[in-house]
């Protein structure tokens, strides 16, 4: 892939180390993989074409994915602290309805929590309410972010970063006490 | 090449075409209409004028679509009522026929809404129609005639009071908009209507009021029943000669255009008759918090619920705080707070999901950082001060949302009180909820040492066979065996064989089948398993799933189910959240049933925790699951019946009668099976409610008898909490419980019952009487 094209609304911004760029959840902004922080546009107004996972690991076509997202009762939850427990997530997300299942995201190597999870509701309406009213609020003093997810499949509970955690924690430059301190590449320097 | 590919990369199917297709125009029209009145660079008047021009031009081709959109916004966007009535007024001025067709469409829609019990939306429609009088679309005398028909509903015989209430409400709540105009044209008729209203309000019964009040005391603020409150506002408005200052009236700017327009007469409107299927809205009691006299107009107008609808409804539908321009009448932060709390504390349930109100408060604090947080803090303080007289259900809702504010105030007054009193209880519940959202050590660190008696327990599991010192307990060795076996991934059969060695303390009752109720077996198995799986919810759920067969067998009988629940409580009594999720899972996997949970909640083992919030969380969740289950099977049955009907229709149209009966067979069988399922589910549901009511009656009667013989006052904090919980069950599920009225009257709530308990039942009956 190499360096992304520069400038303009059609292309992602220039600059920065060689990195992969992808469209944000709203389809309008560009996000660099590994950069902490949420999309600049409120996810609620975004069309449900987002997926927090890269398309390359997804088997279905884009149309299928859209359809799955529209019917989905599962949310991806990001920017969690490594120390946030399933119990806390259950209490917070239980406010919008009965939860069917929570799957904690794990570091592939250490098998410990690495700051994301999936929350599946029984009813789509409950998931929508969570997107409306719980997305963007605080848990463990961190603003958490929710996104529609096409559905959990075995293997997706693991971080895809080279060190085992999430990709965003690989290249992160800042210090984040709730997410293992500095980003992995910085730690290795 | 690559640039085009990037623009395709948005992930959306490529829709942008140069030619305007009809569907695109319709979407554009819908968007234009829905967005008018929102934040814009131009004035509202110029936007309306522009839009009226656009719509007028599109009328020849898109009239029915425009009619449909306008009718829909009239019904669903009451917060922009006057914006849309002005728009309709402008259209009527340009196209008389369109105006007439719109009015007819609205009347049709109103009739439909009333037929399907959509009364809240029907009120929006009535108000819209009345405001059309101000826009010179509808002639005032015909509106008065419609209102005359509304008020005459109060003369109908043998109809529920709530029916007359609704028509009265629809009439009165439209008057702030149109009272002035109607009085100018038809004052004699209006006077007659108002005096008929007054006499109806005097004679209607208000037994239901105590059930719906948030506060049990009338000091410092009297809690008025909603119609009484509305009536006093209307009287005041009349005295002020209908000078109303809060409603935004864009049509005033277009007076010169609108007064040239020809008006239409409303067709005579007969209210649809009362049927058995009619379900009217429940009465309400107006919530007051700040001083009655502080800003009576703003406070009072909340009684009509129009500001509430306008403000909160907008946030709920758009997830966006409305612009100040739209919310005329909101002057101070206390207005926002009052409206939000009024909705949040509404009994039985707030109109919108509770979490919305917390998020709304947070958004408002961000938008008005200079004023709103302080007012919110003051309001919180005020509510805390009045906790002793607040309805228990509202106290729960209050603690639900108070996690943020509570810790910054001095609550030392509650330390000197008995722990069962409302204030200490409240603080305990809030601290427990804070712990659920964080963790135990954090609460210990934050809470001052003097408050430690109110701190939640450390949510650890209590394993009775864990300590060497408990060696002598019966079943200890089996527990050890079981632990090792489970760690070694034993199968269900192996577990069964280990458990066979457990003696049965009920030896005499043992009829030698091997799987009768053995409380010790249950204890050893459940204690050990839950202890091994204690690490997280997921671990416990996996354990329940893996050993589901064992659970089902051990808990086959009713006593078995009850005992499983008891053991769960013994293990996890420090972690109410865990108890709640385990009970939920066990109901869903049919290890226990709803009635068992109900019996367990009222059992003596739980008496100590009976007034704690988590118990009621569990009970209400159980009832909800039962209700959802019944609805789901019912829906399945209806769908299958519809499939059969379609099959018949296809066959009839095909005119082909070979093997027709054979085709029906499987579907008809399925319908029969589903029918049985529905009946059994409904009977289980009825049984659940009967168990709950029966146990309530037993508990309350015990208390009342004890108080009488001991000569002590009945109204202890426990009693208040218990009675209010009973009321909440009635209120929250009133539609379902209505079906059981005969059984309840004849079997449970008979005349011999203590009058304290009977009063609750009578209040409930009065709700839809």
């Amino acid at each position: 892939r190499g360096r992304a094209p520069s400038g303009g609304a059609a292309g992602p911004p220039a600059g920065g180390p060689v990195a992969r760029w992808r469209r944000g959840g709203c389809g309008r902004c560009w996000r660099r993989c590994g950069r902490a922080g949420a999309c600049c546009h409120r996810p609620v107004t975004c069309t449900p074409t987002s997926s927090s996972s890269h398309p390359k690991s997804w088997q279905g076509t884009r149309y299928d994915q859209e359809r799955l997202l529209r019917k989905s009762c599962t949310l991806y939850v990001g920017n969690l602290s490594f120390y946030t427990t399933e119990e806390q997530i259950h209490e917070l997300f239980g406010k919008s309805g009965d939860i069917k299942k929570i799957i904690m995201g794990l570091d592939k190597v250490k098998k410990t929590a690495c700051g994301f999870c999936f929350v599946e509701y029984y009813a789509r309406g409950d998931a929508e309410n969570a997107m409306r009213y719980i997305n963007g609020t605080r848990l463990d003093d961190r603003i958490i972010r929710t996104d529609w997810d096409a559905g959990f499949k075995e293997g997706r509970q693991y971080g895809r970063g080279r060190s085992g955690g999430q990709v965003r924690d690989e290249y992160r430059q800042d210090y984040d006490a709730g997410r293992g301190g500095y980003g992995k590449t910085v730690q290795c320097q | 090449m690559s640039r085009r590919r990037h623009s395709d990369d948005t992930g959306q199917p490529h829709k942008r075409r140069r030619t305007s297709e009809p569907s695109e125009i319709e979407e554009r029209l819908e968007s234009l209409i829905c967005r008018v009145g929102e934040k814009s660079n131009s004035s509202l008047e110029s936007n309306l004028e522009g839009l009226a021009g656009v719509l007028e031009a599109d009328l020849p081709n898109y009239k029915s679509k425009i009619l449909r959109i306008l009718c829909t916004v009239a019904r669903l966007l009451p917060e922009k009522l006057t914006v849309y009535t002005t728009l309709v007024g402008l259209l009527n001025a340009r196209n008389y026929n369109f105006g007439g067709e719109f009015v007819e469409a609205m009347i049709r829609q109103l009739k439909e809404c009333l037929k399907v019990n959509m009364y809240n939306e029907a009120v929006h429609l009535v108000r819209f129609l009345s405001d059309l009088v101000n826009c010179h679309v509808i002639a005032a005398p015909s509106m008065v005639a419609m209102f005359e028909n509304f008020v005459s509903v109060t003369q109908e015989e043998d109809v529920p009071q709530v029916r007359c209430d609704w028509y009265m409400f629809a009439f009165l709540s439209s008057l702030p908009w149109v009272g002035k105009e109607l009085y100018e044209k038809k004052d004699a008729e209006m006077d007659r209507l108002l005096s008929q209203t007054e006499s109806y309000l005097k004679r209607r019964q208000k037994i239901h009021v105590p059930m719906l009040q948030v506060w049990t005391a009338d000091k410092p603020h009297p809690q008025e029943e909603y119609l009484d409150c509305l009536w006093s506002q209307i009287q005041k408005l009349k005295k002020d000669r209908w000078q109303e200052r809060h409603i935004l009236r864009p049509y005033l700017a277009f007076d010169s255009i609108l007064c040239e327009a020809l008006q239409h007469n409303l067709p005579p409107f007969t209210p649809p008759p009362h049927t058995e299927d009619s379900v009217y809205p429940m009465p309400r009691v107006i919530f007051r918090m700040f001083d009655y006299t502080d800003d009576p107009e703003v406070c009072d107008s909340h009684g009509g619920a129009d500001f509430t609808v306008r403000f909160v409804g907008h946030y709920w539908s758009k997830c966006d705080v409305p612009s100040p321009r739209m919310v005329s009448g909101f002057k101070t932060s206390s207005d926002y707070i009052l409206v939000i709390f009024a909705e949040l504390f509404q009994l039985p349930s707030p109109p919108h999901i509770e979490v919305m109100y917390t998020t709304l408060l947070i958004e408002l604090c961000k938008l008005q950082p200079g004023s709103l947080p302080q007012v919110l803090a003051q309001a919180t303080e005020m509510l805390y001060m009045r906790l002793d007289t607040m309805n228990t259900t509202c106290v729960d809702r209050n603690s639900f949302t108070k996690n943020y504010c509570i810790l910054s105030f001095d609550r030392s007054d509650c330390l000197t009180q008995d722990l069962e009193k409302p204030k200490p209880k409240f603080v305990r519940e809030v601290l427990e909820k804070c712990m659920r959202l964080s963790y135990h050590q954090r609460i210990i660190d934050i809470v001052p040492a003097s408050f430690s008696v109110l701190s939640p327990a450390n949510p650890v599991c209590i394993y009775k066979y864990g300590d060497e010192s408990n060696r002598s307990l019966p079943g200890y060795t089996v527990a050890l065996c079981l632990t090792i076996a489970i760690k070694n991934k034993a199968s269900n059969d192996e577990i069964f064989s280990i458990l066979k060695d457990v003696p049965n303390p009920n030896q005499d009752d043992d009829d030698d089948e091997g799987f009768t109720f053995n409380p010790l077996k249950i204890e050893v198995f459940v204690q050990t398993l839950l202890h091994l799986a204690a690490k997280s919810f997921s671990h416990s759920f996996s354990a329940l799933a893996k050993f589901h067969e064992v659970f089902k067998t051990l808990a086959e009988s009713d006593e078995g189910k009850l005992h499983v629940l008891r053991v769960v409580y013994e293990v996890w009594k420090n972690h109410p959240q865990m108890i709640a999720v385990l009970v939920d899972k066990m109901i869903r996997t049919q290890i226990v049933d709803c009635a068992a949970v109900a019996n367990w909640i009222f059992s003596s083992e739980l008496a100590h925790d009976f007034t704690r919030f988590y118990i009621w969380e569990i009970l209400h969740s159980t009832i909800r699951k039962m209700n959802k289950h019944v609805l789901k099977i019912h829906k399945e049955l209806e769908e299958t019946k519809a499939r059969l009907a379609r099959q018949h229709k296809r066959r009839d149209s095909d005119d082909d009668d070979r093997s027709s009966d054979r085709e029906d067979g499987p579907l008809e069988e399925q319908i029969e099976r589903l029918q049985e399922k529905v009946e059994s589910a409904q009977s289980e549901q009825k049984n659940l409610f009967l168990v709950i009511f029966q146990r309530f009656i037993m508990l309350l009667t015990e208390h009342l008898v004890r108080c009488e013989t001991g000569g002590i006052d009945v109204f202890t904090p426990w009693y208040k909490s218990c009675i209010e919980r009973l009321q909440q069950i009635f209120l929250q599920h009133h539609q379902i419980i209505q079906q059981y009225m005969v059984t309840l009257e004849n079997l449970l709530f008979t005349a011999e019952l203590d009058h304290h308990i009977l009063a609750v039942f009578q209040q409930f009956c009065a709700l839809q009487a």
Side-chain angles (χ1 to χ4, degrees):
Chain A
R1 278 286 151 87
R3 204 172 281 273
S6 61
V18 174
R20 296 199 301 267
W21 291 84
R22 59 190 172 97
R23 283 284 189 184
C26 63
R28 278 179 284 163
C29 73
W30 287 92
R31 276 192 263 171
R32 192 177 72 196
C33 301
R35 190 183 75 194
C39 174
C40 54
H41 299 283
R42 294 189 63 203
V44 175
T45 57
C46 298
T47 52
T49 57
S50 62
S51 166
S52 359
S53 55
H54 288 282
K56 73 177 176 188
S57 61
W58 195 255
Q59 294 298 315
T61 63
R62 190 160 269 151
Y63 173 72
D64 283 342
Q65 187 177 343
E66 266 181 58
R67 202 164 42 89
L68 286 168
L69 289 174
R70 261 199 302 271
K71 295 203 159 127
S72 170
C73 296
T74 308
L75 298 179
Y76 162 87
V77 184
N79 200 35
L80 295 172
S81 154
F82 286 9
Y83 307 102
T84 299
T85 61
E86 188 187 348
E87 283 80 346
Q88 288 169 273
I89 294 166
H90 198 280
E91 178 69 13
L92 180 62
F93 283 88
K95 293 188 183 189
S96 72
D98 291 336
I99 297 174
K100 188 169 177 185
K101 197 166 189 177
I102 295 175
I103 298 161
M104 300 296 288
L106 301 174
D107 182 301
K108 195 158 195 170
V109 174
K110 298 186 222 160
K111 302 291 199 288
T112 54
C114 68
F116 73 98
C117 74
F118 296 98
V119 176
E120 188 188 348
Y121 289 92
Y122 288 101
R124 163 100 184 171
D126 295 342
E128 285 172 358
N129 277 335
M131 282 291 288
R132 281 189 198 113
Y133 306 122
I134 302 179
N135 184 16
T137 61
R138 282 182 187 271
L139 183 59
D140 266 342
D141 214 28
R142 303 174 66 90
I143 302 278
I144 59 166
R145 178 177 64 87
T146 65
D147 226 342
W148 288 109
D149 189 84
F152 175 75
K153 283 209 152 74
E154 181 56 36
R156 293 190 62 222
Q157 72 269 42
Y158 297 113
R160 280 187 309 239
R162 226 168 282 174
S163 324
Q166 287 197 279
V167 172
R168 56 189 293 213
D169 291 313
E170 291 287 317
Y171 304 107
R172 192 160 49 73
Q173 304 286 336
D174 58 325
Y175 181 82
D176 189 340
R179 290 183 75 99
Y182 287 105
K184 291 296 185 319
T185 36
V186 172
Q187 282 181 18
C188 293
Q189 277 164 12
Chain B
M1 219 11 101
S2 64
R3 198 147 282 259
R4 205 183 308 145
R5 202 153 6 108
H6 275 133
S7 66
D8 276 353
D9 203 10
T10 59
Q12 292 179 29
H14 209 47
K15 270 203 272 206
R16 275 160 237 294
R17 275 182 235 118
R18 281 296 151 205
T19 57
S20 300
E21 301 202 352
S23 57
E24 277 201 8
I25 296 193
E26 287 184 6
E27 276 178 39
R28 193 169 57 88
L29 286 176
E30 193 173 316
S31 152
L32 281 174
I33 294 175
C34 289
R35 281 197 333 240
V36 77
E38 296 182 10
K39 293 188 188 130
S40 161
N41 290 328
S42 344
S43 72
L44 176 61
E45 287 76 19
S46 63
N47 283 339
L48 280 173
E49 210 161 11
L51 181 56
V54 167
L55 293 179
E56 188 195 4
D58 280 326
L59 275 181
N61 296 323
Y62 297 99
K63 183 173 65 173
S64 53
K65 179 75 181 177
I66 294 175
L67 273 176
R68 213 172 339 128
I69 300 173
L70 287 174
C71 282
T72 311
V73 299
R75 204 176 82 236
L76 297 180
L77 298 180
E79 63 265 22
K80 295 207 283 183
L81 187 152
T82 49
V83 170
Y84 290 117
T85 51
T86 309
L87 181 62
V88 173
L90 291 172
L91 285 174
N92 180 53
R94 296 168 190 234
N95 188 323
Y96 177 76
N97 286 333
F98 176 77
E101 287 184 52
F102 178 75
V103 171
E104 279 173 22
M106 284 287 283
I107 292 290
R108 271 197 305 273
Q109 202 184 196
L110 177 60
K111 286 198 175 122
E112 263 313 301
C113 281
L114 293 176
K115 234 185 260 165
V116 297
N117 292 325
M118 283 165 56
Y119 287 98
N120 291 331
E121 302 192 350
V123 170
H124 303 161
L125 295 176
V126 172
R127 261 186 226 149
F128 197 94
L129 287 171
S130 61
D131 202 42
L132 285 180
V133 173
N134 294 325
C135 300
H136 297 262
V137 178
I138 293 180
S142 66
M143 194 74 223
V144 175
M146 180 190 231
F147 284 145
E148 278 170 348
N149 284 343
F150 276 27
V151 173
S152 66
V153 169
T154 59
Q155 305 297 328
E156 287 176 7
E157 294 192 356
D158 285 331
V159 291
Q161 182 176 284
V162 281
R163 171 179 163 84
C164 310
D165 282 354
W166 184 82
Y167 282 97
M168 203 46 90
F169 178 70
F171 162 54
L172 288 177
S173 65
S174 307
L175 289 183
W177 279 266
V178 75
K180 183 153 185 272
E181 190 66 24
L182 293 185
Y183 249 90
E184 267 170 32
K185 299 278 159 58
K186 288 273 183 179
D187 59 346
E189 284 80 354
M190 288 300 290
D191 269 332
R192 195 172 42 236
L193 283 180
L194 288 186
S195 80
Q196 281 177 318
T197 304
E198 189 163 15
S199 67
Y200 169 70
L201 291 177
K202 277 210 183 79
R203 69 170 193 266
R204 67 191 274 273
Q205 57 87 354
K206 289 190 276 227
I207 306 177
H208 52 272
V209 168
M211 210 179 206
L212 301 169
Q213 286 174 322
V214 173
W215 314 104
T216 53
D218 262 341
K219 288 190 166 58
H221 306 130
Q223 293 173 88
E224 286 175 283
E225 210 260 0
Y226 80 118
L227 271 188
D228 289 337
C229 185
L230 184 53
W231 175 240
S232 55
Q233 288 169 44
I234 298 297
Q235 282 184 304
K236 180 164 180 294
L237 204 54
K238 179 172 177 222
K239 221 183 287 168
D240 290 342
R241 289 198 315 256
W242 306 101
Q243 298 303 323
E244 194 283 331
R245 291 192 333 248
H246 299 294
I247 296 175
L248 189 70
R249 297 178 196 260
Y251 40 77
L252 292 174
F254 296 102
D255 199 43
S256 50
I257 304 176
L258 293 177
C259 67
E260 299 287 308
L262 289 174
Q263 297 172 317
H264 304 266
N265 281 319
L266 275 177
F269 183 86
T270 327
H274 174 68
T275 68
E276 264 188 23
D277 296 324
S278 308
V279 179
Y280 302 98
M282 278 222 295
R284 282 168 290 151
V285 170
I286 300 305
F287 175 77
R288 283 207 197 291
M289 211 171 85
F290 303 116
D291 231 335
Y292 198 101
T293 55
D294 256 10
D295 199 344
E297 288 191 31
V298 178
C299 288
D300 288 354
S301 52
H302 296 313
D306 48 298
F307 286 112
T308 318
V309 162
R310 229 192 278 175
F311 178 65
V312 181
H314 181 100
Y315 183 73
W316 174 74
S317 60
K318 300 278 177 51
C319 212
D320 181 26
V321 181
S323 63
R325 184 173 60 179
M326 273 178 42
V327 196
S328 63
F330 271 65
K331 296 171 213 142
T332 65
S333 298
S334 18
D335 300 337
Y336 290 106
I337 303 283
L338 180 64
V339 165
I340 291 171
F341 281 157
E343 281 213 351
L344 182 61
F345 293 136
Q346 205 174 96
L347 290 169
S349 312
H352 304 300
I353 189 175
E354 278 177 50
V355 66
M356 185 213 83
Y357 297 100
T358 9
T359 312
L360 177 54
L361 283 171
I362 296 174
E363 291 284 311
L364 284 175
C365 283
K366 282 191 218 162
L367 283 175
Q368 296 188 351
S371 55
L372 207 117
Q374 288 89 303
V375 179
L376 179 56
Q378 278 170 22
T380 312
E381 185 67 28
M382 214 183 290
L383 289 173
Y384 176 77
M385 286 298 138
R386 299 185 56 189
L387 264 178
D388 292 331
T389 54
M390 193 185 221
N391 182 298
T392 310
T393 309
C394 299
V395 175
D396 289 339
R397 261 182 241 158
N398 194 14
S399 64
F400 193 66
T401 57
K402 280 311 168 298
N403 307 5
Y404 320 96
C405 317
I406 195 75
L407 296 172
S408 50
F409 279 96
D410 179 21
R411 302 272 170 254
S412 46
D413 59 333
C414 64
L415 288 177
T416 52
Q417 294 181 14
D418 159 25
L419 287 182
E420 276 308 304
K421 284 241 147 91
K423 283 189 184 142
K425 213 167 182 350
F426 174 72
V427 176
R428 273 165 68 198
E429 295 286 359
V430 171
L431 288 178
E432 193 182 308
K433 292 222 179 70
C434 287
M435 180 181 72
R436 287 199 197 185
L437 284 171
S438 59
Y439 50 96
H440 185 247
Q441 190 56 46
R442 181 146 167 79
I443 303 297
I444 300 295
D445 292 339
I446 296 179
V447 172
S450 49
F451 279 81
S452 56
V453 63
L454 298 174
S455 293
N458 196 2
V460 290
C461 119
I462 305 172
Y463 181 45
K464 130 188 239 188
Y465 305 109
D467 216 297
E468 276 272 318
S469 58
N470 293 333
R471 271 197 301 270
S472 52
L473 285 175
Y476 179 81
T477 34
V478 183
L480 281 183
C481 246
L482 209 54
T483 308
I484 298 170
I486 295 176
K487 281 190 180 160
N488 289 331
K489 307 208 194 296
S491 70
N492 282 329
D493 287 330
E494 288 167 48
I495 304 293
F496 277 127
S497 60
I498 295 176
L499 287 176
K500 247 203 227 110
D501 297 333
V502 177
N504 191 339
N506 300 343
Q507 204 67 45
D508 333 309
D509 303 320
D510 194 348
D511 55 349
D512 208 33
E513 272 181 52
F515 284 128
T516 48
F517 172 51
N518 183 340
L520 191 56
K521 240 190 225 183
I522 293 177
E523 179 131 28
V524 169
F525 173 67
V526 178
Q527 282 258 353
T528 307
L529 188 66
L530 289 186
H531 169 245
L532 285 172
K535 185 155 184 230
S536 76
F537 289 175
S538 288
H539 286 85
S540 297
F541 295 159
S542 298
L544 286 180
K546 185 152 189 238
F547 296 100
H548 184 248
E549 203 192 317
V550 183
F551 268 107
K552 284 285 279 192
T553 312
L554 290 176
E556 207 173 320
S557 62
D558 284 345
E559 305 117 317
K561 293 185 168 68
L562 204 50
H563 202 69
V564 167
L565 290 166
R566 268 193 218 115
V567 178
V568 168
Y569 174 72
E570 287 301 320
V571 175
W572 281 116
K573 57 160 71 122
N574 288 328
H575 197 346
Q577 194 192 11
M578 175 66 99
I579 299 181
V581 303
L582 284 177
V583 172
D584 174 82
K585 205 49 117 184
M586 290 195 292
I587 293 178
R588 288 186 194 272
T589 53
Q590 298 177 317
I591 292 174
V592 299
D593 56 27
C594 296
V597 175
N599 275 315
W600 166 66
I601 284 185
F602 286 93
S603 67
S604 50
E605 287 89 358
L606 247 45
H608 182 255
D609 278 358
F610 189 71
T611 50
R612 281 178 67 181
F613 173 67
Y614 84 90
I615 294 288
W616 300 96
E617 203 181 14
I618 295 177
L619 185 62
H620 280 288
S621 160
T622 305
I623 300 175
R624 246 195 340 259
K625 282 192 274 281
M626 183 81 247
N627 295 345
K628 279 198 186 143
H629 175 67
V630 170
L631 285 175
K632 184 168 147 228
I633 306 194
H634 197 81
K635 190 165 157 223
E636 242 183 273
L637 175 64
E638 297 300 308
E639 278 170 5
T640 316
K641 280 187 181 163
R643 271 178 30 216
L644 185 66
R646 276 199 300 273
Q647 197 167 305
H648 280 164
K649 216 160 133 203
R650 253 182 316 191
R651 206 184 332 121
D652 289 342
S653 63
D654 280 349
D655 214 11
D656 188 352
D657 60 4
R658 61 184 159 90
S659 63
S660 51
D661 290 329
R662 199 159 23 103
E663 279 173 23
D664 274 352
L667 266 187
E668 279 178 355
E669 242 182 76
Q670 203 177 352
I671 289 179
E672 219 180 288
R673 256 184 298 123
L674 283 174
Q675 193 79 49
E676 279 172 27
K677 250 177 117 178
V678 165
E679 279 164 19
S680 107
Q682 284 173 334
S683 121
E684 197 187 334
Q685 186 183 41
K686 180 173 181 180
N687 185 46
L688 175 62
F689 279 108
L690 291 182
V691 165
I692 293 174
F693 287 134
Q694 195 168 38
R695 301 300 297 259
F696 259 119
I697 292 177
M698 280 163 57
L699 219 55
L700 286 166
T701 309
E702 248 180 69
H703 170 86
L704 290 166
V705 164
R706 214 179 318 127
C707 289
E708 257 182 60
T709 50
I712 22 173
D713 183 23
V714 162
F715 287 93
T716 59
W718 179 91
Y719 176 77
K720 175 179 184 290
S721 162
C722 192
I723 274 273
E724 285 170 356
R725 298 269 186 220
L726 173 60
Q727 282 172 337
Q728 182 64 12
I729 303 272
F730 271 119
L731 278 176
Q732 199 155 343
H733 307 283
H734 72 277
Q735 242 179 298
I736 299 174
I737 298 174
Q738 295 279 349
Q739 301 167 47
Y740 316 137
M741 288 300 269
V742 177
T743 313
L744 292 176
E745 255 172 328
N746 295 336
L747 220 59
L748 291 176
F749 292 94
T750 55
E752 293 99 55
L753 215 53
D754 186 299
H755 68 97
H756 290 99
I757 311 176
L758 207 51
V760 175
F761 181 64
Q762 285 162 349
Q763 285 162 14
F764 167 69
C765 296
L767 270 182
Q768 283 272 320

